[in-house]
mmCIF file of all heavy atoms in Angstrom:
data_model
loop_
_atom_site.group_PDB
_atom_site.id
_atom_site.type_symbol
_atom_site.label_atom_id
_atom_site.label_comp_id
_atom_site.label_asym_id
_atom_site.label_seq_id
_atom_site.Cartn_x
_atom_site.Cartn_y
_atom_site.Cartn_z
ATOM 1 N N CYS H 52 125.886 148.558 119.274
ATOM 2 C CA CYS H 52 124.790 149.463 118.940
ATOM 3 C C CYS H 52 125.336 150.807 118.475
ATOM 4 O O CYS H 52 124.908 151.348 117.454
ATOM 5 C CB CYS H 52 123.893 149.636 120.164
ATOM 6 S SG CYS H 52 122.498 150.743 119.930
ATOM 7 N N LEU H 53 126.307 151.341 119.206
ATOM 8 C CA LEU H 53 126.898 152.624 118.843
ATOM 9 C C LEU H 53 127.635 152.531 117.511
ATOM 10 O O LEU H 53 127.481 153.405 116.650
ATOM 11 C CB LEU H 53 127.852 153.096 119.942
ATOM 12 C CG LEU H 53 128.543 154.439 119.714
ATOM 13 C CD1 LEU H 53 127.522 155.540 119.504
ATOM 14 C CD2 LEU H 53 129.451 154.758 120.883
ATOM 15 N N ALA H 54 128.400 151.465 117.313
ATOM 16 C CA ALA H 54 129.136 151.298 116.056
ATOM 17 C C ALA H 54 128.175 151.206 114.870
ATOM 18 O O ALA H 54 128.413 151.820 113.823
ATOM 19 C CB ALA H 54 130.014 150.054 116.126
ATOM 20 N N GLY H 55 127.100 150.466 115.035
ATOM 21 C CA GLY H 55 126.119 150.341 113.964
ATOM 22 C C GLY H 55 125.453 151.669 113.649
ATOM 23 O O GLY H 55 125.237 152.016 112.487
ATOM 24 N N ALA H 56 125.142 152.446 114.695
ATOM 25 C CA ALA H 56 124.503 153.746 114.488
ATOM 26 C C ALA H 56 125.440 154.719 113.775
ATOM 27 O O ALA H 56 125.010 155.471 112.901
ATOM 28 C CB ALA H 56 124.063 154.328 115.826
ATOM 29 N N VAL H 57 126.709 154.675 114.116
ATOM 30 C CA VAL H 57 127.687 155.534 113.447
ATOM 31 C C VAL H 57 127.813 155.126 111.986
ATOM 32 O O VAL H 57 127.816 155.977 111.083
ATOM 33 C CB VAL H 57 129.053 155.477 114.160
ATOM 34 C CG1 VAL H 57 130.139 156.130 113.326
ATOM 35 C CG2 VAL H 57 128.963 156.126 115.535
ATOM 36 N N ASP H 58 127.896 153.827 111.724
ATOM 37 C CA ASP H 58 128.005 153.330 110.341
ATOM 38 C C ASP H 58 126.798 153.735 109.500
ATOM 39 O O ASP H 58 126.938 154.076 108.329
ATOM 40 C CB ASP H 58 128.144 151.809 110.309
ATOM 41 C CG ASP H 58 129.496 151.335 110.786
ATOM 42 O OD1 ASP H 58 130.439 152.157 110.852
ATOM 43 O OD2 ASP H 58 129.615 150.131 111.084
ATOM 44 N N ARG H 59 125.613 153.695 110.104
ATOM 45 C CA ARG H 59 124.387 154.023 109.385
ATOM 46 C C ARG H 59 124.087 155.515 109.374
ATOM 47 O O ARG H 59 123.157 155.954 108.717
ATOM 48 C CB ARG H 59 123.193 153.297 110.016
ATOM 49 C CG ARG H 59 123.223 151.795 109.878
ATOM 50 C CD ARG H 59 121.945 151.154 110.411
ATOM 51 N NE ARG H 59 121.605 151.524 111.774
ATOM 52 C CZ ARG H 59 122.056 150.919 112.870
ATOM 53 N NH1 ARG H 59 122.888 149.899 112.763
ATOM 54 N NH2 ARG H 59 121.675 151.318 114.061
ATOM 55 N N ALA H 60 124.870 156.294 110.140
ATOM 56 C CA ALA H 60 124.619 157.727 110.310
ATOM 57 C C ALA H 60 123.169 157.953 110.717
ATOM 58 O O ALA H 60 122.414 158.674 110.069
ATOM 59 C CB ALA H 60 124.980 158.518 109.053
ATOM 60 N N GLU H 61 122.785 157.301 111.817
ATOM 61 C CA GLU H 61 121.405 157.413 112.309
ATOM 62 C C GLU H 61 120.995 158.877 112.398
ATOM 63 O O GLU H 61 121.724 159.699 112.939
ATOM 64 C CB GLU H 61 121.270 156.771 113.687
ATOM 65 C CG GLU H 61 121.234 155.268 113.666
ATOM 66 C CD GLU H 61 119.992 154.701 113.013
ATOM 67 O OE1 GLU H 61 118.964 155.404 112.891
ATOM 68 O OE2 GLU H 61 120.046 153.533 112.621
ATOM 69 N N PRO H 62 119.826 159.225 111.888
ATOM 70 C CA PRO H 62 119.430 160.632 111.873
ATOM 71 C C PRO H 62 119.079 161.202 113.246
ATOM 72 O O PRO H 62 119.274 162.382 113.484
ATOM 73 C CB PRO H 62 118.218 160.653 110.951
ATOM 74 C CG PRO H 62 117.712 159.268 110.933
ATOM 75 C CD PRO H 62 118.878 158.372 111.192
ATOM 76 N N TRP H 63 118.594 160.373 114.165
ATOM 77 C CA TRP H 63 118.248 160.873 115.484
ATOM 78 C C TRP H 63 117.985 159.735 116.441
ATOM 79 O O TRP H 63 117.862 158.580 116.032
ATOM 80 C CB TRP H 63 117.061 161.821 115.405
ATOM 81 C CG TRP H 63 115.791 161.188 114.931
ATOM 82 C CD1 TRP H 63 115.547 160.685 113.698
ATOM 83 C CD2 TRP H 63 114.602 160.971 115.680
ATOM 84 N NE1 TRP H 63 114.278 160.187 113.624
ATOM 85 C CE2 TRP H 63 113.673 160.348 114.836
ATOM 86 C CE3 TRP H 63 114.234 161.245 116.982
ATOM 87 C CZ2 TRP H 63 112.395 159.995 115.252
ATOM 88 C CZ3 TRP H 63 112.954 160.893 117.393
ATOM 89 C CH2 TRP H 63 112.056 160.286 116.536
ATOM 90 N N GLY H 64 117.946 160.066 117.731
ATOM 91 C CA GLY H 64 117.675 159.079 118.761
ATOM 92 C C GLY H 64 118.896 158.780 119.597
ATOM 93 O O GLY H 64 119.981 159.309 119.375
ATOM 94 N N VAL H 65 118.702 157.919 120.588
ATOM 95 C CA VAL H 65 119.797 157.468 121.447
ATOM 96 C C VAL H 65 120.216 156.087 120.980
ATOM 97 O O VAL H 65 119.396 155.180 120.874
ATOM 98 C CB VAL H 65 119.381 157.432 122.936
ATOM 99 C CG1 VAL H 65 120.473 156.829 123.794
ATOM 100 C CG2 VAL H 65 119.027 158.823 123.422
ATOM 101 N N TRP H 66 121.490 155.941 120.664
ATOM 102 C CA TRP H 66 122.059 154.679 120.189
ATOM 103 C C TRP H 66 123.360 154.435 120.935
ATOM 104 O O TRP H 66 124.245 155.290 120.942
ATOM 105 C CB TRP H 66 122.332 154.746 118.685
ATOM 106 C CG TRP H 66 121.104 154.940 117.868
ATOM 107 C CD1 TRP H 66 120.530 156.113 117.505
ATOM 108 C CD2 TRP H 66 120.276 153.914 117.335
ATOM 109 N NE1 TRP H 66 119.402 155.897 116.768
ATOM 110 C CE2 TRP H 66 119.217 154.544 116.644
ATOM 111 C CE3 TRP H 66 120.330 152.517 117.362
ATOM 112 C CZ2 TRP H 66 118.224 153.826 115.989
ATOM 113 C CZ3 TRP H 66 119.338 151.816 116.710
ATOM 114 C CH2 TRP H 66 118.303 152.465 116.041
ATOM 115 N N GLY H 67 123.482 153.307 121.587
ATOM 116 C CA GLY H 67 124.717 152.984 122.294
ATOM 117 C C GLY H 67 125.082 153.990 123.362
ATOM 118 O O GLY H 67 126.248 154.224 123.642
ATOM 119 N N GLY H 68 124.087 154.609 123.962
ATOM 120 C CA GLY H 68 124.343 155.563 125.038
ATOM 121 C C GLY H 68 124.735 156.951 124.568
ATOM 122 O O GLY H 68 125.182 157.767 125.366
ATOM 123 N N GLU H 69 124.567 157.244 123.295
ATOM 124 C CA GLU H 69 124.884 158.567 122.749
ATOM 125 C C GLU H 69 123.673 159.130 122.018
ATOM 126 O O GLU H 69 122.901 158.382 121.430
ATOM 127 C CB GLU H 69 126.067 158.494 121.778
ATOM 128 C CG GLU H 69 127.352 158.009 122.406
ATOM 129 C CD GLU H 69 127.937 158.956 123.441
ATOM 130 O OE1 GLU H 69 127.613 160.157 123.415
ATOM 131 O OE2 GLU H 69 128.702 158.489 124.288
#
Side-chain angles (χ1 to χ4, degrees):
C52 179
L53 181 57
V57 168
D58 288 344
R59 294 185 306 274
E61 284 293 340
W63 64 294
V65 174
W66 297 89
E69 299 294 338

